[in-house]
Structures are given as structure tokens and as C-alpha cells.
Amino acid sequence: MDRDREGIRTSKTQSKLKNPIEKNRIGKRSPSKKGGEAPFESIHLQWKRFLQGLPPEGPLRNVILESWRRSRADGIDPAPSQLSPRRITEDDLQARLDTNRELVDIAALHLDWISSSLAQILHAVFLVDRDGIVLYATGNDSRMRESFHVEPGYDWSERKMGTNAVGTALAGNQAIAVSGPEHFIQLFHHYACTGVPIHANGQVVGAIGIGTPVADGHPERMILTSHTAYVIEQELMHRQTASQAESIKAEAMMLLSNSLDYKTILSIIARLVVPRLADWCIIDMVEENQLIVRCAVAHADPSKSTLAHDLRHQSLNPDVPYGAPRVTRTGRSELYPEISDLAKKEGASDERHFRLIQQMNAISGMVVPIPGRGRVMGAITFISAESGRRYNRVDLALAEDLARRAGLAIENAQLYRAAQEEIAERKRTQEALRRSEERFRQVSESGIVSLAFFDLTGRITDANDAFLKMIDFTREELLEGKVRWDQLTPPEWMERTRQAVQEFKTRGRCTPYEKEYFRKDGTRFWGLFGGAMLESGAEGVAFVVDITERKRAEAALRNSREQLQAILDNTTAVVYLMSIDHRFMMVNRQFERLFDLKKAEVDGKSIDDLFPKEVADAFRANNENVLEAEHALEFEEEVPLVDGVHVYLSMKVPLFDQTGKPYAICGISSDITDRKRMEETLRQKTREAEEASRAKSQFVSIISHELRTPLNAIIGYSGLLKRPEFTERPGKRSEMNDRIYYNAHILLELINNLLNLNRMEAGQMPVEAETVFLADVVGGIVENLRPMGEEKGLKVAFINEDGPLPIHSDSKKIEQIVTNLISNAIKFTDHGAVTVRLSDRSAEQRAVIEVSDTGIGIGEGDLPRLFEPFYQADPSDTRSYEGTGLGLSIVKKFTELLGGTVRVASTLGAGATFTLSLPYERKPPS
């Protein structure tokens, strides 16, 4: 505000100095150019002419036109009419004086001082409220006060050309001086007037005006008016702040004294200062872990509830260099008369927090610590936004006082809460003690537990009826001192009793233990003893529970377990007990023998500790199945042992507790490895028998087919030869004889193959080794079989690039092998070629014969069984290709007999290649 006023004063002063007319106003009036006419009278005449529609003339033309533009731009009516303020009623005036009493008191004091300082010149000074109504006026220029109604109750809000500096200052919210050539007062009444608005809490509450003769219209009048308005504002602010502070303090004291909950206290503080002292109030508290937690957010604008919610739940970075985090670290208040963008940015904990701060539209702020005993408990942040308030040191002092009161109230609340908790705890303790004593008395009198009081000498000083009944003594005998611990204790238990006494002395209590006691008649019983010394330390209380029956039951159970363990240890089955989390609880001796482990090494171990992962996983799955089924199940389980993997038949049974929940699994496992092997052998024999039966059936089917075909031909042709008509046709008879011979040759070949196969199976096939020139043998076979291929339109080729290739082997068997391979190639090839290639593998000392065709090929599933006797890819009677299924079987057996190998490579529909490899020197198979 001071800077704004200073700018206005400067600009107004400069405009005065630039105006040529003003030079004559500061000093004496200059003589008239026409008959002593004053300059302002000339301006007056020119101005009136201009308003009547006549253009201005002479050197004043530009001055008058510029004045007109300024007036219109400022919203001032440039018509030079007489100011006619209206007067309000006396009641309205009195109401306004009451409402603005503090402003009037302060302004009157300062306006009277100004009036006394201006006593040497004519003047009028006055105060108007925000509506322009004069509330106070003084001065020694009665003519001006009467002419212009500078009296309380008159309305000076009218804004006309040159008539009302105060009204113009109110309307424009800025200082103004009526001193230009366009101002009516100076032109017609020889007065200059300055007006300056007065602000409080960012709002215009009134204005002051100072009027003086034109000849005395120095620029210092504007400075004086502005300064006076500023002083009034400051004193008004201080008074209002002080009054507000006292009000807030009094209200805070009353509200805070009525609450002992610190969260309620924080909420009270936040609501108390908004909107009287701030538009936003934020309270942050420091937790024990030094984290800053936002506890309260209050705001004046109801439309910003969402923003307040987001601020309430914003997490804070305790290390930022501005705001509450810094104040909680340093313990010193911070005042921000103007909140800069840098402070907003640096005071934000993150980008989201920065955006929230920007939405607050904060103008001014202050942050004060909430002091505690030797520490800072938190911080209160005051933000001015919509109100436009600028905080100063006075406001900061009030905020610090509120924070101190809040801190004191919080500490009182914490002390009260601690005291209340202590009182409540004491009451709970007393009530618990009372209930405990009541329960102890009831237990003692009920006889449920045997109780006895004793001293450290061993004398039993008191006991309940249950204890006396247990040891078979009377209360009279107890009172006579005839009942002592040492008399009730057998000799072998005296040392343990002395240890218990020592424990009473050193620890004030005795850990319960079991021992035997004497009754009055000398019989024994088992008791569970325990006790503690009373607060006096000279006497203690003990309980004794008769556990004789339990001991007997334990002995019986122990005997039963020993008998059961003996049975389990002498069985050949593996027996074990396992918890539901798959840990061993008990195993028998057979388990120990199998896995070479002792019981102590197994107890508590899981199946994962003792077995490989895949075995443990299988065991676990079986156990889970048993627990889920809730009844016995049988499994076959594989267990790795030293001599290999054994198969066990395991019966697993879930065990249930009294509530019906499973707590263990009992397993009984028997080794069935030999049985499984026998079963597998039997299955294998069964498969072999079934395969033999199948092979036999297939053999009979194939042989019958292969025998029936040539026999039918022989029988048919023989019958034809007996007919008379063929006796006279020798050519026809010769053809039929040839066919009979051909079919007889087929029968002979079939029989020979069967005999050869049988001899090889029996190991009676001889080998007649000699020097064999493979090129001659293979080439001759190709030449003999080429016509058969050419009949089908096939190209039969023989390729030999390595010479005669002599080897030492059986030529007859080589001939049969090669013949069978080439015949098969021609039989299963309908178009294309059959190629026979002979090659020398000297590095391997072998000769290789390859027979390739472009025929139907062999399926992948048929390749493994291709060399089996009687095997055919198509075993049906309607198959496209005839044959016994013995050819390739004989090829393989003859090849192995000669020490060679035969391999086949084929793709269905793309032909086949048989590779025969024979050694240079035949070696009999091992």
C-alpha cells in the first residue's frame, strides 16, 4: 500500500511539474495578458466555451483537450456543475458513528493534529466512511466547509469533474489530488483537494480529505494526506489486532480449559483462528519416531473442502527448508509477509504437494512452533489468501501466544490422560487383586486344590481341608505342630526337598516338580508340588496335587507302549508314525535296519530330511490324500535302498484327537519288490506267449496262403494236362509244364527258407567260407533280376567303382542276401529305379552293398520290427504284395552269421535304402 501511494504521489507530482499552468499556481498569480485577467479565469472561460460546443483557442487548446480525455478515462463527469451532496438522517449518522467508532476516534485525533499544523493557511480536513458519508470534519476555512457541506452527515460519494477528490479516491481505491486544470474547485472556487482511502484487513473502510486554497496547492499536501491515512490505518490495525488478540486469547483460554483431548485441542485452535486471523490454518505434530503428521486443517472458503481434504492427508518431508518441517526442526517462528513462488516450491514435500499449495492462492503466512517441555511438539501454519491480509510482527506475536497456550493445553491433556490411565490401571490392579484373593479363597475352601502355608524351617502353619484329607491328618494335629514337610517326605526325596527350599530362598518360588509323600499311616502317594513365598518372605504357600492315579496310568501306558514297541520291532513290516506336517514321531526297528538310522536320528526329522526330493514329494502327496480322505488308503511306494529301488505296499491310516482333528498318520509298509518282479516276469512271459501265439497264427495264415497259391497252380495245370485235347498240342503242354515247374520252384524256395530259418534258430547253419569276388556275385544277381524289373518299367542299375572287391566269406549266403534285397526292392517299387551300389571301406576293412529304390517306402512304426520272422506291414489276406515275411529275417540272420550288419533307412512314400556291410574276413559271431 505504501509503495502504491508513493507511486501515485510521484506520478501526480511529476504531472504537475509538466503542466505549464501549474508554474503560476505555486507562487504568486501572473498578471493577465488582457487587462490583468488571471490565468485561471482565462482557463475558466475557455473551458466553458468548450463545454458549450465551441472549440478551445490559443495556447490552452491542448491543455483543455488533454484534460477532457483524462476525465473521461477516469470515469469523471467533466461537466463543471456545482457539487450538491445530500444529507443523511441523524439516526443513520449516529448508527454510522457507532459502527465506525474506533475509526472515528483514531482519525479525529490525527485530523485535529493536521488542522493545528495548518493553522497558518485556510483549510478543511474531514473523514468519510466507506459509503462516502462525512463522519468527522475540522479546519479553519468556514467558507469551504459551508459551500461544500464539509460537515458530518453529508454524502461525498458523488464523483464529478473536479468536485470531489474524496469520492473519487473511494471509487478508484487510490489516492487522488484535485489539482489539474480540469478540476472545478480550482477553477471556480480557488480550492485544491486531496483524497486518500483508508484500508483495514484488505478492505476500504473510509477516506480522508484535505482542502486548501489553490494558491497554496503544494504537492506536499498529497504526501501529508497519504501519510496521515497510513498512520490511521496502522493504528486502526494495531487496535483491531489487539482487540482481536484479546478476544481470541480469551476464547482460546475458555475452550482449551474445557478439553483434555489433544486432538480436540488442535481442532479448537484451527477453528478459532479461521477466519478471524487466517483463511487457512494447518496444524502438524511431531510423532515419537520424528515423523510429521498432519492433524488439523481449517479453511474459510466452503468451496475448498476437497483441497482441505487433500492437504489433510498430504505426507510431509521433514527436511524441506520452509514451513512447518523447518520450524519443528529449529523451534523458531517464521514470518512470510509475502509468500514467493520460490518459497511455495521449496516448502513442498513433492510435486503433488506443490500443486495443492498453488491452489491455496496464499498471499502471506506465518508458522509458529508448539512448544513442549524441552522439545517442539508441532507447528501451526497461518495462511492469508482471499482476505488479502499481510501478516506482521504483531500478528506473529499473537500466533506465538496461541501456540504456547495450545502447547500448554496439550501437555495438560497428556498429563491428565497419563494420570487417568495410572488411576485406571491402579483400579484395575486393585480389582484384579480383590478378584484374585476372592478366587484364592474360593479355591482354598472348595477343596479343588490342596493348599498349605509353611515357613522355611519346614513347619506347616496352615492348610485347607483338602490338604489335610490327602495326608490323613486332623486340623487339631496341624495346630499342635505335628505336621511338617520333613515328616511327610520319604528319605530318598529329602535331597530334592532341600533343593526346593534353596530355590524358595533364592528365587522366591519353586518350580513345580513331582515327588512321593507319606500319609499318616505310612502309605505313599505321588504328588505334584509347587509354591511361592509371600511378600513378607518368612512364609510361603504351596499346592500339592495327588497324581497317584496319573502315575499308575502312565506306568500302565508305558508298559503298553513297551509291549507294542516290542511287537513292532519284531515285525518284518516297516511301521512308523508321522505328524500331519510330515515329521517322524516314531519308527520301528525294521525302519532303522533298512535305512541304517537310529530312532534318535529319525525323531522330529521330516521326509525331506531323509529321502530324495522326488521320493519325499510322492510320500507327501500320499499323506495328503489320506488326510483328505479321512480313512485308511493303500499305496505302492518306491523307496531307494542300498541294493536298489524297492517297492513297498503301504497302508496309511489317519489318527484323530478327541476333537476329531487329525494329528498323525500311521504307516505300515511291506516290501513287495520280489512279488512285483515276479508279476513283471509273469506279464513278460504272458506277452511273449501272446506274441508267439499271434506269430504262430500269422505264420499259419501266411504259410497256408503261400502254399495254397503254388499248389493250386500245380494241381490246376496237372489236371489240364490229363485232358485229351492237350495231348495233341505240344506247345501248350510245354507252357503248362513250365508253370508247374515255376510254382514247384516257389514251393521249394519257401521250404528252403523255412528250413534255413529253423537251422539258424537251432544254431545249425554252417558257413562255407571262401574267396568271393563281390563285383562278380552282385553283378550276376543284378543281371538275373533286371528282366523282372524291366517288366515293371523299372531301371535296374549296378554301380561299382572299386574293382572286384574280394572278401573271405560264404558266397551262397551272400547271393541269397543280395537276391532277397534286390527282389524286395523290385517288388515294392512301381515306378522309378532300383540302384545297387558296391563300395570299398578299406579303413574299416569292410565292403558295403547298398540297395536303393524309389518305391512305397516303410513307415516309421514298422522299421523296428522289419527284420522279425513273418512280419509284414500289411498282414491281411488282401494285401497288395505277396510274400512270407521271411526274406528280410533271413537277410539279417545270414548277415550276422557272416559277421556283418544290415541297416535300413526309409520314409513312407519316398523309397528305402538297405545297407549291407560285410567284413573282409568273416569272423564267427561271439
mmCIF file of all heavy atoms in Angstrom, residues 3 120 175 186 191 225 253 327 413 480 614 626 638 713 719 733 735 778 786 807 865 878 899:
data_model
loop_
_atom_site.group_PDB
_atom_site.id
_atom_site.type_symbol
_atom_site.label_atom_id
_atom_site.label_comp_id
_atom_site.label_asym_id
_atom_site.label_seq_id
_atom_site.Cartn_x
_atom_site.Cartn_y
_atom_site.Cartn_z
ATOM 1 N N ARG A 3 3.899 1.501 -1.130
ATOM 2 C CA ARG A 3 4.532 1.666 -2.434
ATOM 3 C C ARG A 3 3.533 2.226 -3.440
ATOM 4 O O ARG A 3 3.876 3.043 -4.292
ATOM 5 C CB ARG A 3 5.082 0.316 -2.922
ATOM 6 C CG ARG A 3 6.311 -0.148 -2.151
ATOM 7 C CD ARG A 3 6.992 -1.304 -2.873
ATOM 8 N NE ARG A 3 6.098 -2.440 -2.990
ATOM 9 C CZ ARG A 3 6.040 -3.410 -2.074
ATOM 10 N NH1 ARG A 3 6.800 -3.351 -0.994
ATOM 11 N NH2 ARG A 3 5.220 -4.435 -2.255
ATOM 12 N N GLN A 120 -1.818 28.256 9.782
ATOM 13 C CA GLN A 120 -1.412 29.482 9.096
ATOM 14 C C GLN A 120 -2.120 29.674 7.762
ATOM 15 O O GLN A 120 -2.043 30.732 7.170
ATOM 16 C CB GLN A 120 0.108 29.466 8.869
ATOM 17 C CG GLN A 120 0.917 29.372 10.144
ATOM 18 C CD GLN A 120 0.627 30.514 11.105
ATOM 19 O OE1 GLN A 120 0.491 31.675 10.690
ATOM 20 N NE2 GLN A 120 0.494 30.195 12.390
ATOM 21 N N ALA A 175 -5.216 7.062 -4.002
ATOM 22 C CA ALA A 175 -5.066 8.472 -3.622
ATOM 23 C C ALA A 175 -5.257 9.369 -4.844
ATOM 24 O O ALA A 175 -4.862 9.007 -5.956
ATOM 25 C CB ALA A 175 -3.694 8.695 -3.006
ATOM 26 N N GLN A 186 -10.735 24.315 -8.273
ATOM 27 C CA GLN A 186 -9.639 25.250 -8.519
ATOM 28 C C GLN A 186 -10.063 26.329 -9.511
ATOM 29 O O GLN A 186 -9.646 27.477 -9.394
ATOM 30 C CB GLN A 186 -8.419 24.477 -9.058
ATOM 31 C CG GLN A 186 -7.194 25.352 -9.202
ATOM 32 C CD GLN A 186 -5.969 24.534 -9.514
ATOM 33 O OE1 GLN A 186 -6.056 23.353 -9.613
ATOM 34 N NE2 GLN A 186 -4.833 25.201 -9.658
ATOM 35 N N TYR A 191 -9.920 26.429 -4.768
ATOM 36 C CA TYR A 191 -9.516 25.426 -3.783
ATOM 37 C C TYR A 191 -8.905 24.225 -4.487
ATOM 38 O O TYR A 191 -9.282 23.880 -5.607
ATOM 39 C CB TYR A 191 -10.716 24.942 -2.956
ATOM 40 C CG TYR A 191 -11.141 25.893 -1.870
ATOM 41 C CD1 TYR A 191 -12.173 26.816 -2.081
ATOM 42 C CD2 TYR A 191 -10.488 25.869 -0.635
ATOM 43 C CE1 TYR A 191 -12.551 27.686 -1.087
ATOM 44 C CE2 TYR A 191 -10.880 26.750 0.365
ATOM 45 C CZ TYR A 191 -11.909 27.654 0.138
ATOM 46 O OH TYR A 191 -12.275 28.487 1.126
ATOM 47 N N THR A 225 -1.494 13.971 3.196
ATOM 48 C CA THR A 225 -2.753 13.211 3.262
ATOM 49 C C THR A 225 -2.480 11.711 3.256
ATOM 50 O O THR A 225 -3.057 10.950 4.042
ATOM 51 C CB THR A 225 -3.650 13.592 2.094
ATOM 52 O OG1 THR A 225 -3.763 15.011 2.005
ATOM 53 C CG2 THR A 225 -5.030 12.980 2.253
ATOM 54 N N MET A 253 -8.619 -19.557 25.850
ATOM 55 C CA MET A 253 -8.459 -19.998 27.234
ATOM 56 C C MET A 253 -9.701 -20.757 27.697
ATOM 57 O O MET A 253 -9.608 -21.803 28.345
ATOM 58 C CB MET A 253 -8.195 -18.792 28.142
ATOM 59 C CG MET A 253 -7.977 -19.166 29.609
ATOM 60 S SD MET A 253 -6.504 -20.195 29.829
ATOM 61 C CE MET A 253 -5.233 -18.978 29.484
ATOM 62 N N VAL A 327 10.312 -25.317 10.947
ATOM 63 C CA VAL A 327 10.014 -24.775 12.279
ATOM 64 C C VAL A 327 10.104 -25.861 13.343
ATOM 65 O O VAL A 327 10.599 -25.631 14.449
ATOM 66 C CB VAL A 327 8.619 -24.113 12.268
ATOM 67 C CG1 VAL A 327 8.172 -23.760 13.681
ATOM 68 C CG2 VAL A 327 8.640 -22.854 11.397
ATOM 69 N N ALA A 413 -3.329 -32.013 28.762
ATOM 70 C CA ALA A 413 -4.165 -33.147 28.336
ATOM 71 C C ALA A 413 -3.389 -34.451 28.432
ATOM 72 O O ALA A 413 -3.917 -35.482 28.860
ATOM 73 C CB ALA A 413 -4.651 -32.915 26.905
ATOM 74 N N GLU A 480 -1.329 -78.387 66.599
ATOM 75 C CA GLU A 480 -0.375 -78.830 67.615
ATOM 76 C C GLU A 480 1.048 -78.907 67.060
ATOM 77 O O GLU A 480 1.983 -79.239 67.799
ATOM 78 C CB GLU A 480 -0.797 -80.196 68.146
ATOM 79 C CG GLU A 480 -2.096 -80.145 68.957
ATOM 80 C CD GLU A 480 -2.591 -81.548 69.311
ATOM 81 O OE1 GLU A 480 -1.892 -82.523 68.940
ATOM 82 O OE2 GLU A 480 -3.669 -81.648 69.926
ATOM 83 N N GLU A 614 12.167 -86.325 -5.106
ATOM 84 C CA GLU A 614 11.053 -86.942 -5.812
ATOM 85 C C GLU A 614 10.357 -87.993 -4.945
ATOM 86 O O GLU A 614 9.129 -88.151 -4.982
ATOM 87 C CB GLU A 614 11.536 -87.564 -7.126
ATOM 88 C CG GLU A 614 12.592 -88.645 -6.995
ATOM 89 C CD GLU A 614 14.005 -88.084 -6.908
ATOM 90 O OE1 GLU A 614 14.131 -86.845 -6.774
ATOM 91 O OE2 GLU A 614 14.963 -88.873 -6.978
ATOM 92 N N VAL A 626 -4.457 -89.200 2.268
ATOM 93 C CA VAL A 626 -5.024 -89.888 3.435
ATOM 94 C C VAL A 626 -5.726 -88.898 4.346
ATOM 95 O O VAL A 626 -6.848 -89.141 4.823
ATOM 96 C CB VAL A 626 -3.917 -90.652 4.200
ATOM 97 C CG1 VAL A 626 -4.441 -91.178 5.524
ATOM 98 C CG2 VAL A 626 -3.387 -91.794 3.362
ATOM 99 N N GLU A 638 7.791 -96.368 -3.927
ATOM 100 C CA GLU A 638 9.160 -96.769 -4.263
ATOM 101 C C GLU A 638 10.129 -96.102 -3.300
ATOM 102 O O GLU A 638 10.041 -94.896 -3.063
ATOM 103 C CB GLU A 638 9.495 -96.388 -5.699
ATOM 104 C CG GLU A 638 8.694 -97.153 -6.731
ATOM 105 C CD GLU A 638 9.135 -96.839 -8.153
ATOM 106 O OE1 GLU A 638 9.945 -95.893 -8.315
ATOM 107 O OE2 GLU A 638 8.698 -97.538 -9.084
ATOM 108 N N ALA A 713 -1.912 -123.834 -58.410
ATOM 109 C CA ALA A 713 -1.445 -123.730 -59.805
ATOM 110 C C ALA A 713 -0.978 -125.090 -60.324
ATOM 111 O O ALA A 713 -1.286 -125.500 -61.450
ATOM 112 C CB ALA A 713 -0.325 -122.698 -59.905
ATOM 113 N N GLY A 719 -4.078 -131.093 -63.853
ATOM 114 C CA GLY A 719 -5.385 -131.567 -64.314
ATOM 115 C C GLY A 719 -5.629 -131.271 -65.773
ATOM 116 O O GLY A 719 -6.239 -132.068 -66.495
ATOM 117 N N ARG A 733 1.318 -127.860 -73.914
ATOM 118 C CA ARG A 733 1.742 -128.737 -72.832
ATOM 119 C C ARG A 733 3.065 -128.247 -72.258
ATOM 120 O O ARG A 733 3.272 -128.271 -71.036
ATOM 121 C CB ARG A 733 1.899 -130.172 -73.369
ATOM 122 C CG ARG A 733 0.572 -130.844 -73.720
ATOM 123 C CD ARG A 733 0.849 -132.198 -74.368
ATOM 124 N NE ARG A 733 1.560 -133.081 -73.487
ATOM 125 C CZ ARG A 733 0.979 -133.858 -72.580
ATOM 126 N NH1 ARG A 733 -0.345 -133.872 -72.465
ATOM 127 N NH2 ARG A 733 1.709 -134.642 -71.805
ATOM 128 N N GLU A 735 4.176 -125.165 -72.147
ATOM 129 C CA GLU A 735 3.928 -123.965 -71.333
ATOM 130 C C GLU A 735 3.387 -124.341 -69.968
ATOM 131 O O GLU A 735 3.795 -123.790 -68.926
ATOM 132 C CB GLU A 735 2.919 -123.059 -72.052
ATOM 133 C CG GLU A 735 2.586 -121.798 -71.273
ATOM 134 C CD GLU A 735 1.527 -120.971 -71.974
ATOM 135 O OE1 GLU A 735 1.200 -121.263 -73.148
ATOM 136 O OE2 GLU A 735 1.016 -120.014 -71.330
ATOM 137 N N VAL A 778 27.540 -109.893 -57.135
ATOM 138 C CA VAL A 778 26.463 -108.907 -57.116
ATOM 139 C C VAL A 778 26.055 -108.544 -58.537
ATOM 140 O O VAL A 778 24.865 -108.420 -58.849
ATOM 141 C CB VAL A 778 26.882 -107.661 -56.321
ATOM 142 C CG1 VAL A 778 25.809 -106.579 -56.407
ATOM 143 C CG2 VAL A 778 27.160 -108.015 -54.878
ATOM 144 N N ARG A 786 17.357 -108.178 -63.540
ATOM 145 C CA ARG A 786 17.000 -106.977 -64.298
ATOM 146 C C ARG A 786 15.737 -107.186 -65.136
ATOM 147 O O ARG A 786 14.878 -106.296 -65.196
ATOM 148 C CB ARG A 786 18.170 -106.567 -65.194
ATOM 149 C CG ARG A 786 17.839 -105.299 -65.992
ATOM 150 C CD ARG A 786 19.016 -104.814 -66.817
ATOM 151 N NE ARG A 786 19.970 -104.063 -65.989
ATOM 152 C CZ ARG A 786 21.198 -104.452 -65.747
ATOM 153 N NH1 ARG A 786 21.635 -105.601 -66.267
ATOM 154 N NH2 ARG A 786 22.010 -103.725 -65.000
ATOM 155 N N ILE A 807 36.526 -110.773 -50.851
ATOM 156 C CA ILE A 807 36.443 -110.959 -49.406
ATOM 157 C C ILE A 807 36.422 -112.445 -49.118
ATOM 158 O O ILE A 807 36.205 -113.267 -50.035
ATOM 159 C CB ILE A 807 35.191 -110.286 -48.802
ATOM 160 C CG1 ILE A 807 33.921 -110.956 -49.315
ATOM 161 C CG2 ILE A 807 35.168 -108.797 -49.086
ATOM 162 C CD1 ILE A 807 32.667 -110.462 -48.612
ATOM 163 N N ARG A 865 10.456 -103.519 -36.339
ATOM 164 C CA ARG A 865 10.091 -104.933 -36.443
ATOM 165 C C ARG A 865 10.298 -105.482 -37.854
ATOM 166 O O ARG A 865 9.864 -106.597 -38.162
ATOM 167 C CB ARG A 865 8.625 -105.106 -36.046
ATOM 168 C CG ARG A 865 8.308 -104.620 -34.640
ATOM 169 C CD ARG A 865 6.894 -104.951 -34.263
ATOM 170 N NE ARG A 865 6.669 -106.390 -34.301
ATOM 171 C CZ ARG A 865 5.454 -106.962 -34.218
ATOM 172 N NH1 ARG A 865 4.386 -106.196 -34.084
ATOM 173 N NH2 ARG A 865 5.335 -108.276 -34.270
ATOM 174 N N THR A 878 -5.716 -109.659 -47.988
ATOM 175 C CA THR A 878 -5.986 -108.873 -49.206
ATOM 176 C C THR A 878 -4.863 -107.904 -49.504
ATOM 177 O O THR A 878 -5.076 -106.903 -50.181
ATOM 178 C CB THR A 878 -7.309 -108.109 -49.035
ATOM 179 O OG1 THR A 878 -7.211 -107.250 -47.896
ATOM 180 C CG2 THR A 878 -8.459 -109.076 -48.815
ATOM 181 N N GLY A 899 29.140 -112.141 -39.887
ATOM 182 C CA GLY A 899 29.876 -111.101 -39.162
ATOM 183 C C GLY A 899 29.599 -109.703 -39.660
ATOM 184 O O GLY A 899 30.353 -108.770 -39.359
#
